[in-house]
Amino acid sequence: MPRLQALYPWTKSPLLASAPMLNIALPTLAVSVSAAGGLGFLAGGYDVSTLESNLQAAARLVDQQPPTSQLHQIYHDRGVLPIGVGFLNWGANLDRSLAAIEKYKPCAVWLFGPRTQPDDLVPWAERTRAVVPNTHIWVQVGTVAEALAVAHALRPDVLVVQGSDAGGHGLARSASVMTLLPEVRDALHARGMGQIPLLAAGGIADGRGLAASLALGSAGAVMGTRFLASPEANVAQGYRAEILRASDGGLSTVRSTVYDRVRGIAGWPVRYDGRGVINQSYVDAVEKGMSDEENRERYERELKKGDLGWGPTGRLTTYAGTGVGLVRETMSAAEIVEKSRQEAAEILQRLGQ
């Protein structure tokens, strides 16, 4: 953790980052998390046409922070934008992304989902470091083999170790972070790369999960699903209501490619799928054998219902992890960061007695 605090001096211990959730993690959420002492990530995604305007908006929000705040001072004294940007590398354009990164200098880029791992990420890491050396390289991995390959080829500043409980997209075959993270840590140490900080992701929704991740050997944790129930997340009210309704995530969510197929998203490499709350789109596809064409047509009609299109009998996608049952109330991003960090610190102190 001291290494990460040196890289990101506005953050507080233990480190909590917000995931760069596609179309959801926009400037307001990213800056709010960083302003609370976490590290907020902006979604760059696979279509980076709005990246520069989103970074510009984030820079304005940071500039509006009190002049005495660390966030404001770091931005003006060091010229580093104290948020990160996450890319889906199977689709993101490197040249256009790099131009925006060079202009706004976010503190980190999060690389995920290349067609070839890790080869496709090498030019991203090399060119980013050459142009903006103060922008650090984070890479998301989901297996021990991926972690070793990425660590060897890229020497990333941070590895995000995502377990199978995570919501949204991840490897279709992966272990729970409970076993994955310590095995990754052991494997890196055995090969002389144990200095790379690891952040745990997948199923972590409160301070108990954050504390557990530290015990497993992480330097902090990433949350996605928990921030969906914050007003700063760019989600429809129907989506947020479904996050608050769902429980028993091992039963109520499922990993599948159905949710991409009904939305017409075909770019993901075959080794990935996405975890979401089970709904009618999934039931019709998997249990009733409905064709993708008909399912997509029904999905598009459901969009016209607005907030009523979500829910168990709805068709609109609610990406969420197995920790969704721990998300029971709407809280601001700042409250989520502060409460989770405080809860984790209290647990660690109690266990140390």
Side-chain angles (χ1 to χ4, degrees), residues 287-317:
E287 298 181 13
K288 299 182 180 180
M290 182 179 288
S291 70
D292 284 352
E293 182 180 8
E294 182 179 354
N295 212 346
R296 192 177 306 117
E297 289 175 355
R298 294 192 182 194
Y299 177 90
E300 290 172 355
R301 291 200 297 269
E302 197 86 347
L303 286 170
K304 299 176 182 177
K305 295 182 180 180
D307 290 332
L308 297 178
W310 276 273
T313 60
R315 312 193 77 89
L316 303 188
T317 301

PDB file of all heavy atoms in Angstrom, residues 287-317:
ATOM      1  N   GLU A 287     -33.668 -21.351 -21.540  1.00  0.00           N
ATOM      2  CA  GLU A 287     -34.628 -22.364 -21.114  1.00  0.00           C
ATOM      3  C   GLU A 287     -35.699 -22.642 -22.163  1.00  0.00           C
ATOM      4  O   GLU A 287     -36.297 -23.721 -22.173  1.00  0.00           O
ATOM      5  CB  GLU A 287     -35.284 -21.934 -19.799  1.00  0.00           C
ATOM      6  CG  GLU A 287     -34.288 -21.806 -18.654  1.00  0.00           C
ATOM      7  CD  GLU A 287     -34.959 -21.392 -17.353  1.00  0.00           C
ATOM      8  OE1 GLU A 287     -36.207 -21.435 -17.271  1.00  0.00           O
ATOM      9  OE2 GLU A 287     -34.220 -21.025 -16.407  1.00  0.00           O
ATOM     10  N   LYS A 288     -35.946 -21.668 -23.049  1.00  0.00           N
ATOM     11  CA  LYS A 288     -37.021 -21.837 -24.024  1.00  0.00           C
ATOM     12  C   LYS A 288     -36.530 -21.892 -25.463  1.00  0.00           C
ATOM     13  O   LYS A 288     -37.329 -22.085 -26.375  1.00  0.00           O
ATOM     14  CB  LYS A 288     -38.049 -20.719 -23.862  1.00  0.00           C
ATOM     15  CG  LYS A 288     -38.708 -20.691 -22.489  1.00  0.00           C
ATOM     16  CD  LYS A 288     -39.755 -19.592 -22.374  1.00  0.00           C
ATOM     17  CE  LYS A 288     -40.404 -19.588 -21.001  1.00  0.00           C
ATOM     18  NZ  LYS A 288     -41.429 -18.510 -20.885  1.00  0.00           N
ATOM     19  N   GLY A 289     -35.224 -21.713 -25.665  1.00  0.00           N
ATOM     20  CA  GLY A 289     -34.652 -21.862 -26.991  1.00  0.00           C
ATOM     21  C   GLY A 289     -35.011 -20.772 -27.981  1.00  0.00           C
ATOM     22  O   GLY A 289     -34.959 -20.994 -29.197  1.00  0.00           O
ATOM     23  N   MET A 290     -35.349 -19.596 -27.501  1.00  0.00           N
ATOM     24  CA  MET A 290     -35.700 -18.502 -28.401  1.00  0.00           C
ATOM     25  C   MET A 290     -34.497 -18.095 -29.235  1.00  0.00           C
ATOM     26  O   MET A 290     -33.364 -18.057 -28.748  1.00  0.00           O
ATOM     27  CB  MET A 290     -36.211 -17.302 -27.598  1.00  0.00           C
ATOM     28  CG  MET A 290     -36.646 -16.102 -28.447  1.00  0.00           C
ATOM     29  SD  MET A 290     -37.269 -14.747 -27.434  1.00  0.00           S
ATOM     30  CE  MET A 290     -38.843 -15.448 -26.892  1.00  0.00           C
ATOM     31  N   SER A 291     -34.718 -17.786 -30.493  1.00  0.00           N
ATOM     32  CA  SER A 291     -33.627 -17.364 -31.369  1.00  0.00           C
ATOM     33  C   SER A 291     -33.100 -16.002 -30.957  1.00  0.00           C
ATOM     34  O   SER A 291     -33.820 -15.185 -30.365  1.00  0.00           O
ATOM     35  CB  SER A 291     -34.109 -17.291 -32.823  1.00  0.00           C
ATOM     36  OG  SER A 291     -35.015 -16.204 -32.994  1.00  0.00           O
ATOM     37  N   ASP A 292     -31.834 -15.744 -31.276  1.00  0.00           N
ATOM     38  CA  ASP A 292     -31.244 -14.441 -30.961  1.00  0.00           C
ATOM     39  C   ASP A 292     -31.986 -13.316 -31.667  1.00  0.00           C
ATOM     40  O   ASP A 292     -32.154 -12.221 -31.109  1.00  0.00           O
ATOM     41  CB  ASP A 292     -29.768 -14.422 -31.368  1.00  0.00           C
ATOM     42  CG  ASP A 292     -28.885 -15.193 -30.409  1.00  0.00           C
ATOM     43  OD1 ASP A 292     -29.381 -15.614 -29.342  1.00  0.00           O
ATOM     44  OD2 ASP A 292     -27.697 -15.364 -30.713  1.00  0.00           O
ATOM     45  N   GLU A 293     -32.439 -13.581 -32.875  1.00  0.00           N
ATOM     46  CA  GLU A 293     -33.131 -12.531 -33.639  1.00  0.00           C
ATOM     47  C   GLU A 293     -34.420 -12.106 -32.942  1.00  0.00           C
ATOM     48  O   GLU A 293     -34.679 -10.901 -32.763  1.00  0.00           O
ATOM     49  CB  GLU A 293     -33.432 -13.031 -35.056  1.00  0.00           C
ATOM     50  CG  GLU A 293     -34.108 -11.985 -35.934  1.00  0.00           C
ATOM     51  CD  GLU A 293     -34.387 -12.502 -37.334  1.00  0.00           C
ATOM     52  OE1 GLU A 293     -34.199 -13.717 -37.572  1.00  0.00           O
ATOM     53  OE2 GLU A 293     -34.798 -11.693 -38.179  1.00  0.00           O
ATOM     54  N   GLU A 294     -35.226 -13.077 -32.549  1.00  0.00           N
ATOM     55  CA  GLU A 294     -36.473 -12.735 -31.870  1.00  0.00           C
ATOM     56  C   GLU A 294     -36.207 -12.105 -30.513  1.00  0.00           C
ATOM     57  O   GLU A 294     -36.875 -11.140 -30.107  1.00  0.00           O
ATOM     58  CB  GLU A 294     -37.354 -13.979 -31.700  1.00  0.00           C
ATOM     59  CG  GLU A 294     -38.695 -13.668 -31.042  1.00  0.00           C
ATOM     60  CD  GLU A 294     -39.592 -14.880 -30.892  1.00  0.00           C
ATOM     61  OE1 GLU A 294     -39.222 -15.961 -31.406  1.00  0.00           O
ATOM     62  OE2 GLU A 294     -40.670 -14.744 -30.261  1.00  0.00           O
ATOM     63  N   ASN A 295     -35.225 -12.639 -29.807  1.00  0.00           N
ATOM     64  CA  ASN A 295     -34.894 -12.103 -28.492  1.00  0.00           C
ATOM     65  C   ASN A 295     -34.442 -10.646 -28.602  1.00  0.00           C
ATOM     66  O   ASN A 295     -34.815  -9.801 -27.780  1.00  0.00           O
ATOM     67  CB  ASN A 295     -33.792 -12.961 -27.851  1.00  0.00           C
ATOM     68  CG  ASN A 295     -33.918 -13.023 -26.338  1.00  0.00           C
ATOM     69  OD1 ASN A 295     -34.643 -12.258 -25.723  1.00  0.00           O
ATOM     70  ND2 ASN A 295     -33.193 -13.952 -25.734  1.00  0.00           N
ATOM     71  N   ARG A 296     -33.657 -10.350 -29.625  1.00  0.00           N
ATOM     72  CA  ARG A 296     -33.186  -8.985 -29.832  1.00  0.00           C
ATOM     73  C   ARG A 296     -34.344  -8.046 -30.176  1.00  0.00           C
ATOM     74  O   ARG A 296     -34.410  -6.911 -29.699  1.00  0.00           O
ATOM     75  CB  ARG A 296     -32.122  -8.945 -30.927  1.00  0.00           C
ATOM     76  CG  ARG A 296     -31.376  -7.624 -31.021  1.00  0.00           C
ATOM     77  CD  ARG A 296     -30.280  -7.668 -32.071  1.00  0.00           C
ATOM     78  NE  ARG A 296     -29.375  -8.785 -31.862  1.00  0.00           N
ATOM     79  CZ  ARG A 296     -29.208  -9.788 -32.707  1.00  0.00           C
ATOM     80  NH1 ARG A 296     -29.868  -9.812 -33.862  1.00  0.00           N
ATOM     81  NH2 ARG A 296     -28.368 -10.773 -32.430  1.00  0.00           N
ATOM     82  N   GLU A 297     -35.263  -8.529 -30.982  1.00  0.00           N
ATOM     83  CA  GLU A 297     -36.426  -7.707 -31.329  1.00  0.00           C
ATOM     84  C   GLU A 297     -37.254  -7.389 -30.090  1.00  0.00           C
ATOM     85  O   GLU A 297     -37.720  -6.257 -29.912  1.00  0.00           O
ATOM     86  CB  GLU A 297     -37.286  -8.442 -32.360  1.00  0.00           C
ATOM     87  CG  GLU A 297     -36.651  -8.521 -33.747  1.00  0.00           C
ATOM     88  CD  GLU A 297     -37.477  -9.351 -34.714  1.00  0.00           C
ATOM     89  OE1 GLU A 297     -38.497  -9.934 -34.267  1.00  0.00           O
ATOM     90  OE2 GLU A 297     -37.103  -9.415 -35.898  1.00  0.00           O
ATOM     91  N   ARG A 298     -37.434  -8.378 -29.231  1.00  0.00           N
ATOM     92  CA  ARG A 298     -38.198  -8.143 -27.997  1.00  0.00           C
ATOM     93  C   ARG A 298     -37.451  -7.200 -27.052  1.00  0.00           C
ATOM     94  O   ARG A 298     -38.064  -6.382 -26.366  1.00  0.00           O
ATOM     95  CB  ARG A 298     -38.501  -9.479 -27.300  1.00  0.00           C
ATOM     96  CG  ARG A 298     -39.430 -10.367 -28.103  1.00  0.00           C
ATOM     97  CD  ARG A 298     -39.936 -11.527 -27.268  1.00  0.00           C
ATOM     98  NE  ARG A 298     -40.803 -12.406 -28.045  1.00  0.00           N
ATOM     99  CZ  ARG A 298     -41.590 -13.325 -27.514  1.00  0.00           C
ATOM    100  NH1 ARG A 298     -41.625 -13.489 -26.196  1.00  0.00           N
ATOM    101  NH2 ARG A 298     -42.346 -14.092 -28.289  1.00  0.00           N
ATOM    102  N   TYR A 299     -36.131  -7.335 -27.025  1.00  0.00           N
ATOM    103  CA  TYR A 299     -35.317  -6.424 -26.215  1.00  0.00           C
ATOM    104  C   TYR A 299     -35.502  -4.985 -26.687  1.00  0.00           C
ATOM    105  O   TYR A 299     -35.687  -4.065 -25.877  1.00  0.00           O
ATOM    106  CB  TYR A 299     -33.844  -6.836 -26.302  1.00  0.00           C
ATOM    107  CG  TYR A 299     -32.896  -5.922 -25.560  1.00  0.00           C
ATOM    108  CD1 TYR A 299     -32.575  -6.153 -24.226  1.00  0.00           C
ATOM    109  CD2 TYR A 299     -32.318  -4.821 -26.185  1.00  0.00           C
ATOM    110  CE1 TYR A 299     -31.711  -5.324 -23.537  1.00  0.00           C
ATOM    111  CE2 TYR A 299     -31.457  -3.983 -25.512  1.00  0.00           C
ATOM    112  CZ  TYR A 299     -31.155  -4.235 -24.188  1.00  0.00           C
ATOM    113  OH  TYR A 299     -30.310  -3.387 -23.510  1.00  0.00           O
ATOM    114  N   GLU A 300     -35.462  -4.780 -27.982  1.00  0.00           N
ATOM    115  CA  GLU A 300     -35.600  -3.425 -28.525  1.00  0.00           C
ATOM    116  C   GLU A 300     -36.982  -2.844 -28.236  1.00  0.00           C
ATOM    117  O   GLU A 300     -37.115  -1.649 -27.971  1.00  0.00           O
ATOM    118  CB  GLU A 300     -35.312  -3.452 -30.027  1.00  0.00           C
ATOM    119  CG  GLU A 300     -33.831  -3.721 -30.327  1.00  0.00           C
ATOM    120  CD  GLU A 300     -33.569  -3.951 -31.796  1.00  0.00           C
ATOM    121  OE1 GLU A 300     -34.544  -4.003 -32.583  1.00  0.00           O
ATOM    122  OE2 GLU A 300     -32.384  -4.099 -32.165  1.00  0.00           O
ATOM    123  N   ARG A 301     -38.014  -3.681 -28.253  1.00  0.00           N
ATOM    124  CA  ARG A 301     -39.343  -3.197 -27.878  1.00  0.00           C
ATOM    125  C   ARG A 301     -39.400  -2.848 -26.398  1.00  0.00           C
ATOM    126  O   ARG A 301     -40.051  -1.888 -25.989  1.00  0.00           O
ATOM    127  CB  ARG A 301     -40.407  -4.247 -28.215  1.00  0.00           C
ATOM    128  CG  ARG A 301     -40.633  -4.447 -29.708  1.00  0.00           C
ATOM    129  CD  ARG A 301     -41.982  -5.100 -29.970  1.00  0.00           C
ATOM    130  NE  ARG A 301     -42.071  -6.435 -29.405  1.00  0.00           N
ATOM    131  CZ  ARG A 301     -41.740  -7.556 -30.057  1.00  0.00           C
ATOM    132  NH1 ARG A 301     -41.262  -7.491 -31.302  1.00  0.00           N
ATOM    133  NH2 ARG A 301     -41.871  -8.738 -29.486  1.00  0.00           N
ATOM    134  N   GLU A 302     -38.695  -3.636 -25.596  1.00  0.00           N
ATOM    135  CA  GLU A 302     -38.680  -3.400 -24.146  1.00  0.00           C
ATOM    136  C   GLU A 302     -38.032  -2.063 -23.799  1.00  0.00           C
ATOM    137  O   GLU A 302     -38.383  -1.432 -22.795  1.00  0.00           O
ATOM    138  CB  GLU A 302     -37.932  -4.546 -23.450  1.00  0.00           C
ATOM    139  CG  GLU A 302     -38.182  -4.648 -21.963  1.00  0.00           C
ATOM    140  CD  GLU A 302     -39.433  -5.468 -21.645  1.00  0.00           C
ATOM    141  OE1 GLU A 302     -40.225  -5.736 -22.560  1.00  0.00           O
ATOM    142  OE2 GLU A 302     -39.596  -5.831 -20.475  1.00  0.00           O
ATOM    143  N   LEU A 303     -37.086  -1.636 -24.612  1.00  0.00           N
ATOM    144  CA  LEU A 303     -36.426  -0.356 -24.364  1.00  0.00           C
ATOM    145  C   LEU A 303     -37.428   0.789 -24.285  1.00  0.00           C
ATOM    146  O   LEU A 303     -37.212   1.776 -23.570  1.00  0.00           O
ATOM    147  CB  LEU A 303     -35.397  -0.075 -25.468  1.00  0.00           C
ATOM    148  CG  LEU A 303     -34.100  -0.872 -25.429  1.00  0.00           C
ATOM    149  CD1 LEU A 303     -33.318  -0.651 -26.719  1.00  0.00           C
ATOM    150  CD2 LEU A 303     -33.261  -0.483 -24.224  1.00  0.00           C
ATOM    151  N   LYS A 304     -38.533   0.666 -25.003  1.00  0.00           N
ATOM    152  CA  LYS A 304     -39.538   1.730 -25.027  1.00  0.00           C
ATOM    153  C   LYS A 304     -40.297   1.849 -23.709  1.00  0.00           C
ATOM    154  O   LYS A 304     -40.966   2.840 -23.462  1.00  0.00           O
ATOM    155  CB  LYS A 304     -40.519   1.480 -26.176  1.00  0.00           C
ATOM    156  CG  LYS A 304     -39.863   1.472 -27.550  1.00  0.00           C
ATOM    157  CD  LYS A 304     -40.852   1.138 -28.645  1.00  0.00           C
ATOM    158  CE  LYS A 304     -40.172   1.096 -30.011  1.00  0.00           C
ATOM    159  NZ  LYS A 304     -41.122   0.708 -31.101  1.00  0.00           N
ATOM    160  N   LYS A 305     -40.188   0.830 -22.849  1.00  0.00           N
ATOM    161  CA  LYS A 305     -40.877   0.868 -21.555  1.00  0.00           C
ATOM    162  C   LYS A 305     -40.126   1.688 -20.514  1.00  0.00           C
ATOM    163  O   LYS A 305     -40.659   1.936 -19.426  1.00  0.00           O
ATOM    164  CB  LYS A 305     -41.064  -0.553 -21.024  1.00  0.00           C
ATOM    165  CG  LYS A 305     -41.974  -1.431 -21.871  1.00  0.00           C
ATOM    166  CD  LYS A 305     -42.137  -2.795 -21.220  1.00  0.00           C
ATOM    167  CE  LYS A 305     -43.034  -3.703 -22.041  1.00  0.00           C
ATOM    168  NZ  LYS A 305     -43.180  -5.045 -21.399  1.00  0.00           N
ATOM    169  N   GLY A 306     -38.898   2.075 -20.812  1.00  0.00           N
ATOM    170  CA  GLY A 306     -38.121   2.834 -19.839  1.00  0.00           C
ATOM    171  C   GLY A 306     -37.816   2.020 -18.600  1.00  0.00           C
ATOM    172  O   GLY A 306     -37.435   0.847 -18.694  1.00  0.00           O
ATOM    173  N   ASP A 307     -38.043   2.595 -17.427  1.00  0.00           N
ATOM    174  CA  ASP A 307     -37.691   1.926 -16.172  1.00  0.00           C
ATOM    175  C   ASP A 307     -38.446   0.621 -15.957  1.00  0.00           C
ATOM    176  O   ASP A 307     -37.981  -0.258 -15.232  1.00  0.00           O
ATOM    177  CB  ASP A 307     -37.946   2.863 -14.989  1.00  0.00           C
ATOM    178  CG  ASP A 307     -36.955   4.015 -14.939  1.00  0.00           C
ATOM    179  OD1 ASP A 307     -35.820   3.840 -15.417  1.00  0.00           O
ATOM    180  OD2 ASP A 307     -37.325   5.091 -14.430  1.00  0.00           O
ATOM    181  N   LEU A 308     -39.596   0.467 -16.590  1.00  0.00           N
ATOM    182  CA  LEU A 308     -40.379  -0.763 -16.435  1.00  0.00           C
ATOM    183  C   LEU A 308     -39.777  -1.936 -17.199  1.00  0.00           C
ATOM    184  O   LEU A 308     -40.218  -3.077 -17.041  1.00  0.00           O
ATOM    185  CB  LEU A 308     -41.816  -0.528 -16.906  1.00  0.00           C
ATOM    186  CG  LEU A 308     -42.613   0.516 -16.122  1.00  0.00           C
ATOM    187  CD1 LEU A 308     -44.003   0.684 -16.721  1.00  0.00           C
ATOM    188  CD2 LEU A 308     -42.699   0.143 -14.643  1.00  0.00           C
ATOM    189  N   GLY A 309     -38.747  -1.677 -18.015  1.00  0.00           N
ATOM    190  CA  GLY A 309     -38.116  -2.744 -18.790  1.00  0.00           C
ATOM    191  C   GLY A 309     -37.133  -3.588 -18.010  1.00  0.00           C
ATOM    192  O   GLY A 309     -36.640  -4.593 -18.524  1.00  0.00           O
ATOM    193  N   TRP A 310     -36.832  -3.186 -16.768  1.00  0.00           N
ATOM    194  CA  TRP A 310     -35.922  -3.976 -15.926  1.00  0.00           C
ATOM    195  C   TRP A 310     -36.717  -4.871 -14.975  1.00  0.00           C
ATOM    196  O   TRP A 310     -37.905  -4.634 -14.741  1.00  0.00           O
ATOM    197  CB  TRP A 310     -35.008  -3.050 -15.115  1.00  0.00           C
ATOM    198  CG  TRP A 310     -33.804  -2.580 -15.859  1.00  0.00           C
ATOM    199  CD1 TRP A 310     -32.596  -3.213 -15.963  1.00  0.00           C
ATOM    200  CD2 TRP A 310     -33.681  -1.372 -16.615  1.00  0.00           C
ATOM    201  NE1 TRP A 310     -31.735  -2.472 -16.739  1.00  0.00           N
ATOM    202  CE2 TRP A 310     -32.360  -1.336 -17.148  1.00  0.00           C
ATOM    203  CE3 TRP A 310     -34.534  -0.312 -16.904  1.00  0.00           C
ATOM    204  CZ2 TRP A 310     -31.901  -0.295 -17.936  1.00  0.00           C
ATOM    205  CZ3 TRP A 310     -34.080   0.732 -17.690  1.00  0.00           C
ATOM    206  CH2 TRP A 310     -32.776   0.732 -18.199  1.00  0.00           C
ATOM    207  N   GLY A 311     -36.051  -5.868 -14.430  1.00  0.00           N
ATOM    208  CA  GLY A 311     -36.680  -6.750 -13.461  1.00  0.00           C
ATOM    209  C   GLY A 311     -36.695  -8.189 -13.942  1.00  0.00           C
ATOM    210  O   GLY A 311     -36.347  -8.478 -15.093  1.00  0.00           O
ATOM    211  N   PRO A 312     -37.120  -9.114 -13.094  1.00  0.00           N
ATOM    212  CA  PRO A 312     -37.107 -10.539 -13.442  1.00  0.00           C
ATOM    213  C   PRO A 312     -37.928 -10.857 -14.682  1.00  0.00           C
ATOM    214  O   PRO A 312     -37.568 -11.758 -15.445  1.00  0.00           O
ATOM    215  CB  PRO A 312     -37.696 -11.213 -12.193  1.00  0.00           C
ATOM    216  CG  PRO A 312     -37.502 -10.233 -11.099  1.00  0.00           C
ATOM    217  CD  PRO A 312     -37.585  -8.879 -11.720  1.00  0.00           C
ATOM    218  N   THR A 313     -39.039 -10.158 -14.882  1.00  0.00           N
ATOM    219  CA  THR A 313     -39.859 -10.407 -16.065  1.00  0.00           C
ATOM    220  C   THR A 313     -39.587  -9.387 -17.170  1.00  0.00           C
ATOM    221  O   THR A 313     -40.248  -9.427 -18.211  1.00  0.00           O
ATOM    222  CB  THR A 313     -41.353 -10.371 -15.702  1.00  0.00           C
ATOM    223  OG1 THR A 313     -41.679  -9.082 -15.157  1.00  0.00           O
ATOM    224  CG2 THR A 313     -41.680 -11.446 -14.685  1.00  0.00           C
ATOM    225  N   GLY A 314     -38.633  -8.513 -16.939  1.00  0.00           N
ATOM    226  CA  GLY A 314     -38.222  -7.559 -17.955  1.00  0.00           C
ATOM    227  C   GLY A 314     -37.134  -8.154 -18.829  1.00  0.00           C
ATOM    228  O   GLY A 314     -36.709  -9.299 -18.650  1.00  0.00           O
ATOM    229  N   ARG A 315     -36.649  -7.345 -19.774  1.00  0.00           N
ATOM    230  CA  ARG A 315     -35.665  -7.866 -20.714  1.00  0.00           C
ATOM    231  C   ARG A 315     -34.377  -7.046 -20.717  1.00  0.00           C
ATOM    232  O   ARG A 315     -33.391  -7.458 -21.346  1.00  0.00           O
ATOM    233  CB  ARG A 315     -36.255  -7.901 -22.128  1.00  0.00           C
ATOM    234  CG  ARG A 315     -37.639  -8.530 -22.220  1.00  0.00           C
ATOM    235  CD  ARG A 315     -38.034  -8.828 -23.643  1.00  0.00           C
ATOM    236  NE  ARG A 315     -37.352 -10.037 -24.121  1.00  0.00           N
ATOM    237  CZ  ARG A 315     -37.823 -11.272 -23.981  1.00  0.00           C
ATOM    238  NH1 ARG A 315     -38.979 -11.471 -23.363  1.00  0.00           N
ATOM    239  NH2 ARG A 315     -37.148 -12.299 -24.456  1.00  0.00           N
ATOM    240  N   LEU A 316     -34.355  -5.907 -20.056  1.00  0.00           N
ATOM    241  CA  LEU A 316     -33.183  -5.037 -20.105  1.00  0.00           C
ATOM    242  C   LEU A 316     -32.121  -5.538 -19.142  1.00  0.00           C
ATOM    243  O   LEU A 316     -32.416  -5.987 -18.038  1.00  0.00           O
ATOM    244  CB  LEU A 316     -33.574  -3.594 -19.795  1.00  0.00           C
ATOM    245  CG  LEU A 316     -34.653  -2.999 -20.705  1.00  0.00           C
ATOM    246  CD1 LEU A 316     -34.825  -1.502 -20.440  1.00  0.00           C
ATOM    247  CD2 LEU A 316     -34.328  -3.234 -22.188  1.00  0.00           C
ATOM    248  N   THR A 317     -30.872  -5.422 -19.551  1.00  0.00           N
ATOM    249  CA  THR A 317     -29.759  -6.058 -18.850  1.00  0.00           C
ATOM    250  C   THR A 317     -29.389  -5.326 -17.570  1.00  0.00           C
ATOM    251  O   THR A 317     -29.198  -4.102 -17.572  1.00  0.00           O
ATOM    252  CB  THR A 317     -28.525  -6.112 -19.771  1.00  0.00           C
ATOM    253  OG1 THR A 317     -28.859  -6.848 -20.944  1.00  0.00           O
ATOM    254  CG2 THR A 317     -27.346  -6.760 -19.067  1.00  0.00           C
TER     255      THR A 317
END
